[in-house]
Amino acid sequence: MLELEGAYKRYESPGEVIRAVEDVTLKVLASEFVAIFGPSGSGKTTLLLLAGGLLRADAGTVRFDGADLGALSRREMLEHRRNKVGLVFQDFRLSEGLSAEENVVVPLLMRGMDRREAARLAVGALDEVGVGNRSRHSPDRLSGGERQRVAIARALVGGPKLLLADEPTGNLDTETGESVLSLMRELPRKRGAAAILVTHDAQLTRYADRVLMMRDGRLTETGTPETTSAAR
């Protein structure tokens, strides 16, 4: 599904070069849930953005479903992100002036879908994540867990092949965070999609099929959720 081979990404500022991703090689299979674990500043988010086509690698290759993302035009890359990638962030990134349903409808309308069909799919997605009864509420009337469930519905409603989550439980209490991670593990798997979680919390990696350790821009070790938690 996803393959990075010798991928590099660096940022330059006056007098400094930040080696965010250094010679990373990674394969992720369909229906696999992979956790990338490491401290803040280790390059996890940059790696996630490379995987989703939101950044281009400076060197090396990033392939998704057989396509070389580095060879795509800007328009093709935009279509790739709209149609094949779902994103979930720590801060939810919902539009406050829209209802939960409208937030989920927006990405479908951007793909040219009929509004009535988009609304039908949005309601189904909200039901699937357990907040169908809150579809008419604006984000400011939802709890943190409900907002993140709406964000997951928005990320998955278009049937992406890859779900990317950047510290998705950072603003949630433990119990709510665990329920959100359970959804993120099970829903993509039902659709045959791959999912990648990046986190600095070793406890969250137990939801993953496989754990990758990241430090200083490099993937330094591959393990299981059990070995990661034991090394915490």
Side-chain angles (χ1 to χ4, degrees), residues 25 27 92 130 209:
T25 294
K27 291 183 180 180
F92 318 127
D209 301 311

Side-chain angles (χ1 to χ4, degrees), residues 4-215:
L4 287 80
E5 185 174 353
Y8 286 81
K9 186 65 182 180
R10 297 178 178 179
Y11 303 103
E12 295 188 11
S13 60
E16 184 181 18
V17 176
I18 300 172
R19 295 173 171 83
V21 171
E22 285 280 295
D23 194 21
V24 166
T25 294
L26 167 66
K27 291 183 180 180
V28 181
L29 305 178
S31 299
E32 187 177 24
F33 185 14
V34 174
I36 299 175
F37 166 69
S40 298
S42 60
K44 305 186 302 297
T45 295
T46 298
L47 179 57
L48 202 72
L49 296 177
L50 289 176
L54 284 85
L55 288 177
R56 292 183 186 269
D58 295 329
T61 57
V62 181
R63 297 186 185 90
F64 185 81
D65 209 16
D68 181 353
L69 298 189
L72 299 182
S73 67
R74 292 181 64 180
R75 181 180 180 84
E76 290 171 332
M77 188 73 88
L78 178 61
E79 289 300 309
H80 166 79
R81 294 196 299 263
R82 283 180 176 174
N83 296 318
K84 295 186 177 182
V85 181
L87 298 165
V88 180
F89 301 95
Q90 177 177 340
D91 57 357
F92 318 127
R93 302 198 183 182
L94 301 176
S95 295
E96 295 295 331
L98 302 179
S99 68
E101 179 183 323
E102 290 166 338
N103 268 280
V104 179
V105 161
V106 165
L108 298 177
L109 297 181
M110 292 177 67
R111 293 167 61 172
M113 185 176 290
D114 173 77
R115 182 176 290 274
R116 183 173 297 179
E117 176 64 8
R120 184 186 69 81
L121 291 177
V123 169
L126 290 168
D127 281 337
E128 192 169 20
V129 299
V131 289
N133 62 333
R134 310 286 277 169
S135 64
R136 300 297 184 183
H137 290 67
S138 59
D140 64 343
R141 297 177 61 194
L142 303 176
S143 69
E146 289 171 335
R147 280 179 280 174
Q148 196 59 292
R149 286 170 181 265
V150 173
I152 292 172
R154 180 184 58 188
L156 293 175
V157 69
K161 292 188 174 183
L162 179 65
L163 176 66
L164 304 175
D166 190 356
E167 302 283 4
T169 64
N171 287 327
L172 306 177
D173 62 72
T174 300
E175 183 178 355
T176 303
E178 288 181 350
S179 67
V180 164
L181 284 172
S182 293
L183 282 173
M184 290 185 52
R185 178 181 60 190
E186 298 303 328
L187 293 182
R189 188 171 292 171
K190 288 181 181 178
R191 297 165 168 81
I196 302 177
L197 161 74
V198 301
T199 182
H200 66 273
D201 186 347
Q203 293 299 319
L204 302 184
T205 65
R206 70 183 186 276
Y207 289 87
D209 301 311
R210 183 160 52 103
V211 181
L212 306 176
M213 312 285 198
M214 193 163 192
R215 186 176 295 275

